[in-house]
């Protein structure tokens, strides 16, 4: 819910009120992820994304029995947050788009080519696989305790910056949903509040399934590539010496004292 309050909220502000631009959208999505992780990290791990949950179950030992309830909670949080945004921005959305058409549908859910550029459905499908593969590859790299994870509880900040980077580099072809809950929850909320074409794209194609299926496939691909190309080569034992040339893991007071002894 925290993620969508900031993410969908900023798009409503830009599209409905004309305040902000692409960069403010990218930054607000990244901040939403960061703040969502800080809120929920100790309770659930703050996956915020069914593609993350499924990939962690497939490759990192997360319990498969928790995948469905986690995913439902993620969809519900996104749905509720989108209703709040829709309610708050009622006046400006109706002023900008009285018919509640495809013009402002992108406030809530993604479209191929962001509704205007010459990108087809399969181009968007490809884009979502690639974007979510990048997301999961780097989330696993950032959070892998055997690697070089950020210290001082800064992992949420770095993951937020990752989202900013994806938004700035991979937002053209399909609006970087990279998260089935982020797309379908607000899409459903917009459908129930007047956007009759919410499940279709600008060509009339029944598009809603692409930002659900493609991110799941991309997440599995990215997590699998991380495990195959990086994860299996990391030291497994805490005392295993580092090969010269590698970045050492963060030192703790205990290891510093041991080195002095």
């Amino acid at each position: 819910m925290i993620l969508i309050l900031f993410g969908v909220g900023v798009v409503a502000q830009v599209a409905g009120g004309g305040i902000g631009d692409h960069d403010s959208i990218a930054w607000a999505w990244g901040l939403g992820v960061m703040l969502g992780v800080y809120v929920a990290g100790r309770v659930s791990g703050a996956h915020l994304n069914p593609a993350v949950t499924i990939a962690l179950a497939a490759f990192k030992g997360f319990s498969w029995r928790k995948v469905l309830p986690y995913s439902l909670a993620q969809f519900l949080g996104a749905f509720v947050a989108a209703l709040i945004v829709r309610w708050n921005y009622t006046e400006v959305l109706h002023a900008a788009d009285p018919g509640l058409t495809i013009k402002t549908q992108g406030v809530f859910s993604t479209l191929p080519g962001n509704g205007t550029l010459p990108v087809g459905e399969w181009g968007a499908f490809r884009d979502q696989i690639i974007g979510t593969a990048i997301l999961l590859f780097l989330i696993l790299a950032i959070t892998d305790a055997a690697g070089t994870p950020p210290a001082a509880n800064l992992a949420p900040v770095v993951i937020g910056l990752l989202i900013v980077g994806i938004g700035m580099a991979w937002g053209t072809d399909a609006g970087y949903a990279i998260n089935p809950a982020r797309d379908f929850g607000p899409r459903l909320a917009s459908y129930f509040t007047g956007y009759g074409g919410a499940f279709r794209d600008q060509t009339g194609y029944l598009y809603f399934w692409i930002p659900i299926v493609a991110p799941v496939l991309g997440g599995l691909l990215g997590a699998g590539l991380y495990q195959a190309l990086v994860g299996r080569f990391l030291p497994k034992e805490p005392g295993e010496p580092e090969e010269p040339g590698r970045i050492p893991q963060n030192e703790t007071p205990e290891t510093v004292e041991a080195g002095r002894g």
Side-chain angles (χ1 to χ4, degrees):
M1 188 174 86
I2 299 297
L3 164 62
I4 296 303
L5 286 174
F6 283 88
V8 171
V10 72
V11 184
Q13 178 168 272
V14 172
I19 300 171
D21 54 20
H22 173 269
D23 286 354
S24 67
I25 290 173
W27 278 106
W29 277 107
L31 290 169
V33 168
M34 179 191 75
L35 295 169
V37 174
Y38 274 125
V39 167
R42 293 289 288 176
V43 176
S44 67
H47 300 174
L48 311 184
N49 182 343
V52 173
T53 301
I54 292 168
L56 292 180
F59 292 100
K60 300 297 284 187
F62 184 73
S63 173
W64 279 104
R65 69 181 180 82
K66 294 182 179 180
V67 168
L68 181 59
Y70 265 52
S71 299
L72 290 174
Q74 292 153 5
F75 279 114
L76 180 61
F79 177 76
V80 171
L83 287 177
I84 294 171
V85 173
R86 174 70 176 87
W87 178 41
N88 187 63
Y89 280 97
T90 296
E91 295 87 355
V92 296
L93 289 173
H94 281 265
D97 181 18
L100 300 180
T101 67
I102 203 78
K103 180 180 177 182
T104 57
Q105 173 56 39
V107 167
F108 298 95
S109 52
T110 59
L111 294 162
N114 291 309
T116 58
L117 299 172
V119 178
E121 290 80 16
W122 292 110
F125 190 88
R126 173 198 65 222
D127 172 86
Q128 287 301 285
I129 290 177
I130 296 171
T132 317
I134 294 169
L135 175 70
L136 263 296
F137 189 99
L138 291 171
I139 284 178
L140 264 59
I142 292 164
T143 59
D144 195 334
T148 53
N153 200 25
L154 287 175
V157 176
V158 179
I159 292 172
L161 291 173
L162 166 61
I163 301 301
V164 175
I166 291 175
M168 289 182 171
W170 292 89
T172 296
D173 282 4
Y176 70 107
I178 57 175
N179 180 340
R182 168 268 173 274
D183 193 86
F184 187 71
R187 191 181 295 271
L188 194 62
S190 67
Y191 178 78
F192 286 141
T193 58
Y195 284 86
F199 293 103
R200 299 183 181 274
D201 65 14
Q202 62 269 28
T203 69
Y205 179 77
L206 198 63
Y207 180 79
F208 79 95
W209 66 273
I210 289 178
I212 297 175
V213 174
V216 172
L217 296 177
L220 291 170
L221 175 63
L225 286 172
Y226 176 80
Q227 289 296 98
L229 300 176
V230 179
R232 67 191 183 97
F233 298 109
L234 294 174
K236 298 299 186 291
E237 298 298 329
E240 186 176 336
E242 297 284 355
E243 180 183 357
R246 291 187 182 180
I247 298 175
Q249 293 197 41
N250 296 313
E251 290 186 328
T252 65
E254 291 78 8
T255 58
V256 171
E257 288 301 321
R260 288 175 180 166

